[in-house]
Each structure stands twice: as C-alpha cells, then as structure tokens.
Amino acid sequence: MMVLVGCSKETVHIDFPFEVGDVENVEMYHYAGAPVSAEKKIVVAKTDITDLYHMFENLSLTDKQVEEITGADVTSFRFNLSDGTNYELVYVCNGVKNGKLKSSTGNFEYFTSSDIGSYWSNMDEEENRLSLSPITNKHIMKDLRTRHTALLLFTFLLASVSLSAQTGLQQKLSEISAITETQPLESTEFSEKYVTYFTQPLDHRHPKKGSFRQRVIVAHAGFDRPTVIITEGYGAAYALKPQYREELSRLLNANMVFVEYRYFLESTPEPKDWRYLTAESSADDLHAVTTAFKNIYPGKWIATGISKGGQTALLYRTFYPDDVDVSVPYVAPLCYGTEDGRHEPFLKKVSTDEDRKRITDFQLEILKRKAALLPLFEKYCTEQEYKFRAPIEEIYDYSVLEYSFALWQWGTPVGSIPLPTATDAELIAHLLAISDPSYFTTDSTNASFFVQAARKLGYYGYDTRPFKKYLSIKSGKGYLHRLMLPEELKDMPFDKTLSRKIKGFLQKNDPKMIFIYGENDPWTAAGVTWLKEKKNIHVFIQPGGSHLARISTLPEKEKEEVMKLLNEWLR
C-alpha cells in the first residue's frame, strides 16, 4: 500500500512502499473528456523514472474538496515493478494548477496545486526514453494485421485504456453474471464503492422455485488486499452512507463486501414466502456471493457480523468451512430454544447487587403506578400508530419485563435510572426510551428476524416472578409467537437441528475464529464462551461491556492479541 504521511487537514506527502530502483517502467495514459480518446506513453529511461518518482514524493497534498468538471484532463501513472506488481496514481485536472490526485492502491484522494498534467507533454518521444502509443482505430487495425487476432488485441487494448482501479473494478463486476445492476456510491473511506444487485435462488437446491434480488455493497481498497465479507443479519441501508466502514476493514485496510440478509429491505422476495427464509439459505447466499467475488479479490477472506450478523457468520462457517480464512463474530448468541433459558439467570447475576436492585425497583414502581402511567403509555402508542395483538395493558407489562434486558444489552448507565420518587412524566419517558413498545407491534420491521428466531435461531424469555403481583398477564411464556410472528406462523415449532449442528461443528473442528462479547450483555449468556483447549478459536470479553463490544473497545492487551492473531492468520 502507499503511505501518506501527515494529518488529514494538513499537508501530506506520498511515501512509496518501493524504491525507485524497483521500477522497470512507468505507463502514462492521458485523455481529455472520454477514456476512448486516451493516448499512452511508456517511460523507460532511468532518469525520467527517477524524476517522476521524486516528483510525486515531494508533492504537497491537502484534504480539500474539489468538484471534478465534465471533460477534465486525466493523466495516470502506472509504476510497473520488477516483482510483477504495479502502483497507480491518477491526476484529474480541473483547471490551471488545480486538480485531484487519486490512488486506489493507496486508498486516498487529495487536492494538489502542482501542474502534474504537464509531465505528459514534457516527456519527449526519443526512442530510448519512451514509447508513444496513441490508442486509435488505425493503431488497432495495424496491430491486427501484424500481431494478434482481432478479439485478443481488442481485449488487450480495452484493458490498456483502463486508467484506474475504478474502471477495472467496474469491468470485473460486469463479468459476474449474477449481478444485474451496479450503481456507484459516494465514500469518504474507499477509492470506489458500489451497490450491486445479485440474483439469488429462493432455494439454492431447487433453483426453479424462483429467485430474488439481493443487495450487495462492494467497497474497494485494492485488488491485492484481503477482503472482509459482512454477514449482515438485517438490512444494509446504513452501509450506504459515505462514511461507513466496518471495523475489520478499517483495521486491515481490507476490501468490503456487505451482504444484506434475505427478506430484509431491498432483498425481500415478492411474494414473501416464509418457507424460504432459513438459516441454511442465508449461508447458501453468502457462499454464492463469496464464490463470485473471489474472481475479483483472490486474497485472504474474513467473515464478520454483529449480533444476528454474528450468528450468520457462525452458521456460514459451519455450512461452508472453507469459504473464508477467518471468522470474527461479534456478540453472537447460539441459542437452543425459542426461550433459551440462560438469559434470565444471567440477569440475576450481572453487575452488582446494588445495580440490579435499582433496576428492579424501577420496574416495580412503573407497575405500581400503572393506573397513572398507562394512559400516558397508551397516548404515546396511539400517536405513533402502533398496532398490537394484545390489549394495551399487556403490552405495558411486556415493556416493563423487556426493560432490564434492553438496558443491559445497550449499556445504559444504571445511574441514569429515575428514582422511585421521580414524577410520572420522568418515569414513563425513561421506560419508553429504553423499552419502546414498537418492539411488540404486529407490523414490526424485524418480523423476518422474529420468524427466524422462532424457527431455528432461538431467543430469550422473561422471568415474571418478581412482578407477578402487579402483572395483568399470567405468564410471559410464548410471547414471541403470540405477539410478534405473522398470524400464519403463530404455531410454528422450534427446530433444534441448527444449534446442534453448529455446536457439533465447533466441538469437532478448530477453525480460525475470534469471538467478541460484552461482559454485561445478556446475549453473552448464550455466547460461544464454553469451548476449551482450542488452538484457533479465541474468545475475548470486554469487561463491563454491552452489545456494543468491539475489538476497539477491548482492553489494550486483548486488542493487541486480537490484531496479532489476525495478522498471523492473514499472512
């Protein structure tokens, strides 16, 4: 990779990761307006190569936003090295001494006031210094008669005209037959970023049953870099943001392939047939995407996801153990039932006696004041146009039961909990902030997840005993089926074969995997923390951490250990 020395808002300089003596030649391309008009020069004289090398190293670059103008002059410089690799810089001139210098290899884009484009005209055409190659139809026809067949030469020349990794990546994406649409995205983190739509079978073992479009986001760091596939468990909308970059991709300067989960947002089949929403199908989807993109990125691959995405990374490794080199599931549960049974005891032991008492006292106060608070709760639900399958008083009770799980999951400071002496307004505002009743609505955006939780992924239950005196519900059992599943699936039984398969895979094998958990996160109760004497499976738990536990939140010693493992595995 190319290294830029300096802070983002100050002057920076290029520090090439190779010596000038490593350069065999420099291919220069130049065009104005359209790439098809490009000309090519090959710099071979050592003095000229040295001049170009030092010119770039001495450039002053700044992080300044400059809009590219239509029809701008473009000059690219491809340094071909003796080891067979190359490094490319692209200069886009927007005016006199005003332009952008970009590099897909170094993953940067900066403003410069240097007249880099003049190097194209300054290079003379003496035979011993460079070779001049205007790329024209006349030139193509001449070479057709003297060197190659028409097809081979045309393919070669098309590749030569490619002035940057952008056109190269777009070309490679167009060669994936399953991709039916590609759209460019803005990015402050990558040299190139695209959203693509990948045709997937509803049932990979019976393709004739139909297909759907799966949204896959591709962000480019370099063809020679490792690739992180994000096994998202939900929708991909947040990954479209220009500033988005997943943690491992940032830490490893890796390419990013972000796969939206089937039956979420733009990856939802029409009609929505719940039979094809299975964990096995999601693994098949990921396998198809990885197989296709390995033609573009042949290096090491890492699968990672958060929460349900972490579950997906785990089951993907189980079904296709050789697809990736490393898996890093974040806060990933492995549940054994619709109401697993390990979460409730966890909540009775988490943190300190004092913290747990303050939470319980708040829940009891909310229930004791139900007569006063329920009208406020109902008014809020009406204003939000929430619809439920149970009476509003029962939804109120379920929101209180959910409160402790939600608070610990997201790491809300216990000190922020209102005391029992707080006003009605303060109590209800806090309850709604932590345990919003939208969670129990009939038209929840997470309905696809609830279907999977009830079918094979598993979930958690509620301990009603401390609050039984004040509850309108007799029991919390079966709440997922009763409140949150589509009507036609409310009697769906739980299938334990998936959790047994994953557990058996982990017990019998030793894949390179790193699990990250938060100490106080209730999902850690069902985490993969029980494996012993494994060389390659490592578990790291952030002290006092929540569902937001990441590599970056670990103590420094553990963080260094994670990075050491990753760097060793990705060699």
Side-chain angles (χ1 to χ4, degrees):
M1 61 177 286
M2 293 184 177
V3 179
L4 285 167
V5 181
C7 300
S8 60
K9 293 186 178 180
E10 301 174 355
T11 299
V12 296
H13 301 279
I14 299 172
D15 183 10
F16 284 115
F18 56 87
E19 301 298 326
V20 66
D22 298 329
V23 183
E24 292 198 337
N25 60 63
V26 180
E27 292 179 58
M28 297 173 59
Y29 298 87
H30 176 80
Y31 70 87
V36 293
S37 65
E39 290 183 310
K40 173 183 175 182
K41 294 178 182 179
I42 302 178
V43 182
V44 294
K46 292 298 181 184
T47 54
D48 292 333
I49 291 173
T50 301
D51 287 346
L52 284 172
Y53 181 93
H54 291 304
M55 181 273 290
F56 280 115
E57 282 212 319
N58 293 326
L59 277 180
S60 293
L61 307 172
T62 55
D63 188 6
K64 175 181 174 182
Q65 296 298 318
V66 180
E67 277 195 32
E68 292 183 19
I69 61 174
T70 303
D73 280 5
V74 177
T75 309
S76 75
F77 304 80
R78 183 179 296 155
F79 290 79
N80 294 314
L81 308 182
S82 56
D83 63 0
T85 61
N86 61 71
Y87 294 84
E88 189 167 44
L89 296 163
V90 178
Y91 174 70
V92 181
C93 179
N94 290 332
V96 179
K97 293 188 177 183
N98 178 350
K100 285 183 179 180
L101 185 66
K102 303 187 283 189
S103 172
S104 61
T105 315
N107 192 23
F108 66 77
E109 180 175 311
Y110 282 90
F111 170 80
T112 178
S113 59
S114 299
D115 189 11
I116 298 174
S118 65
Y119 276 79
W120 171 263
S121 54
N122 289 343
M123 286 294 172
D124 64 36
E125 301 171 22
E126 294 178 16
E127 188 174 352
N128 66 328
R129 297 188 68 188
L130 56 80
S131 169
L132 176 62
S133 304
I135 302 176
T136 65
N137 288 336
K138 181 178 178 182
H139 179 79
I140 291 174
M141 294 309 297
K142 178 181 177 182
D143 282 355
L144 283 175
R145 293 192 298 269
T146 59
R147 295 187 182 182
H148 304 286
T149 67
L151 180 62
L152 290 176
L153 183 59
F154 185 64
T155 302
F156 171 77
L157 289 174
L158 281 178
S160 296
V161 173
S162 176
L163 300 182
S164 70
Q166 179 178 4
T167 52
L169 178 55
Q170 285 178 319
Q171 175 65 29
K172 292 176 185 292
L173 290 173
S174 70
E175 293 169 0
I176 298 177
S177 59
I179 293 179
T180 57
E181 184 181 350
T182 301
Q183 299 172 6
L185 295 172
E186 292 183 7
S187 177
T188 59
E189 301 293 327
F190 297 92
S191 60
E192 297 175 71
K193 186 176 179 181
Y194 302 94
V195 57
T196 71
Y197 293 88
F198 202 96
T199 301
Q200 295 277 22
L202 287 170
D203 184 338
H204 286 259
R205 283 149 189 79
H206 303 92
K208 291 183 180 179
K209 291 187 176 181
S211 63
F212 72 102
R213 294 205 323 166
Q214 186 167 41
R215 182 162 58 174
V216 179
I217 297 166
V218 187
H220 184 73
F223 294 118
D224 60 343
R225 302 302 305 155
T227 299
V228 174
I229 181 168
I230 291 89
T231 58
E232 174 59 39
Y234 300 91
Y238 70 94
L240 299 171
K241 296 178 181 179
Q243 68 272 23
Y244 174 74
R245 187 164 193 174
E246 182 277 334
E247 183 180 52
L248 283 170
S249 174
R250 185 184 300 278
L251 289 172
L252 301 170
N253 187 27
N255 304 300
M256 190 177 75
V257 177
F258 191 108
V259 184
E260 184 169 73
Y261 207 101
R262 58 166 55 202
Y263 285 69
F264 285 89
L265 300 183
E266 293 191 11
S267 300
T268 302
E270 289 293 342
K272 189 188 290 184
D273 189 332
W274 295 114
R275 290 178 299 171
Y276 302 115
L277 177 56
T278 67
E280 294 84 351
S281 292
S282 72
D284 294 338
D285 293 341
L286 293 166
H287 176 65
V289 171
T290 300
T291 301
F293 277 91
K294 279 189 175 180
N295 293 319
I296 298 178
Y297 299 122
K300 299 282 189 177
W301 278 65
I302 309 104
T304 188
I306 299 169
S307 192
K308 179 171 177 274
Q311 280 182 308
T312 307
L314 176 54
L315 68 88
Y316 176 40
R317 194 63 182 271
T318 300
F319 283 97
Y320 293 97
D322 299 323
D323 266 20
V324 299
D325 302 280
V326 180
S327 299
V328 184
Y330 292 90
V331 294
L334 177 56
C335 297
Y336 303 144
T338 307
E339 294 173 19
D340 179 278
R342 289 175 287 173
H343 304 87
E344 299 91 318
F346 178 93
L347 290 172
K348 291 181 178 180
K349 298 178 180 178
V350 66
S351 190
T352 65
D353 291 343
E354 183 182 7
D355 284 348
R356 295 193 303 275
K357 183 178 185 302
R358 183 157 181 175
I359 292 169
T360 302
D361 287 347
F362 173 80
Q363 291 172 288
L364 286 169
E365 190 65 25
I366 287 282
L367 290 170
K368 290 175 183 178
R369 294 202 211 176
K370 187 186 290 187
L373 297 179
L374 183 58
L376 301 176
F377 183 87
E378 184 172 13
K379 180 175 181 291
Y380 171 80
C381 292
T382 301
E383 290 173 347
Q384 300 300 318
E385 298 183 350
Y386 293 159
K387 293 180 174 60
F388 307 104
R389 288 203 184 95
I392 193 67
E393 184 177 357
E394 293 187 14
I395 300 301
Y396 183 94
D397 290 351
Y398 280 117
S399 296
V400 175
L401 294 173
E402 172 66 20
Y403 172 83
S404 58
F405 192 104
L407 182 135
W408 287 118
Q409 177 176 352
W410 299 114
T412 304
V414 174
S416 68
I417 301 174
L419 295 173
T421 55
T423 65
D424 290 349
E426 290 171 333
L427 290 177
I428 197 66
H430 181 73
L431 175 68
L432 294 173
I434 303 302
S435 181
D436 193 290
S438 60
Y439 178 62
F440 301 104
T441 56
T442 57
D443 55 352
S444 170
T445 56
N446 288 324
S448 296
F449 165 61
F450 296 141
V451 169
Q452 288 194 277
R455 178 174 277 155
K456 285 189 178 182
L457 295 185
Y459 216 43
Y460 57 89
Y462 297 129
D463 183 3
T464 59
R465 287 173 296 180
F467 316 107
K468 201 168 186 65
K469 178 180 176 182
Y470 304 100
L471 295 175
S472 61
I473 56 175
K474 294 181 179 180
S475 170
K477 290 190 179 299
Y479 74 94
L480 184 64
H481 287 73
R482 182 183 174 217
L483 301 177
M484 295 138 90
L485 290 190
E487 190 67 30
E488 66 270 25
L489 300 179
K490 65 180 183 179
D491 297 322
M492 182 173 60
F494 185 79
D495 184 348
K496 295 185 177 182
T497 56
L498 177 65
S499 57
R500 288 171 177 167
K501 182 178 179 68
I502 294 173
K503 186 174 182 181
F505 170 77
L506 294 173
Q507 289 173 330
K508 296 174 184 176
N509 298 278
D510 191 17
K512 294 181 175 67
M513 300 186 74
I514 294 173
F515 290 89
I516 308 291
Y517 291 104
E519 181 186 20
N520 293 345
D521 179 12
W523 288 112
T524 302
V528 181
T529 58
W530 36 264
L531 287 167
K532 306 296 181 185
E533 299 179 357
K534 294 285 186 178
K535 177 184 176 182
N536 293 321
I537 299 178
H538 300 262
V539 179
F540 295 88
I541 300 177
Q542 178 195 347
S546 67
H547 212 53
L548 301 175
R550 305 290 185 265
I551 294 171
S552 60
T553 66
L554 292 173
E556 199 61 35
K557 181 181 177 182
E558 284 78 4
K559 191 186 307 180
E560 291 175 1
E561 188 176 348
V562 170
M563 293 310 300
K564 181 180 178 182
L565 285 168
L566 289 171
N567 289 324
E568 286 178 356
W569 290 344
L570 296 175
R571 282 178 185 169

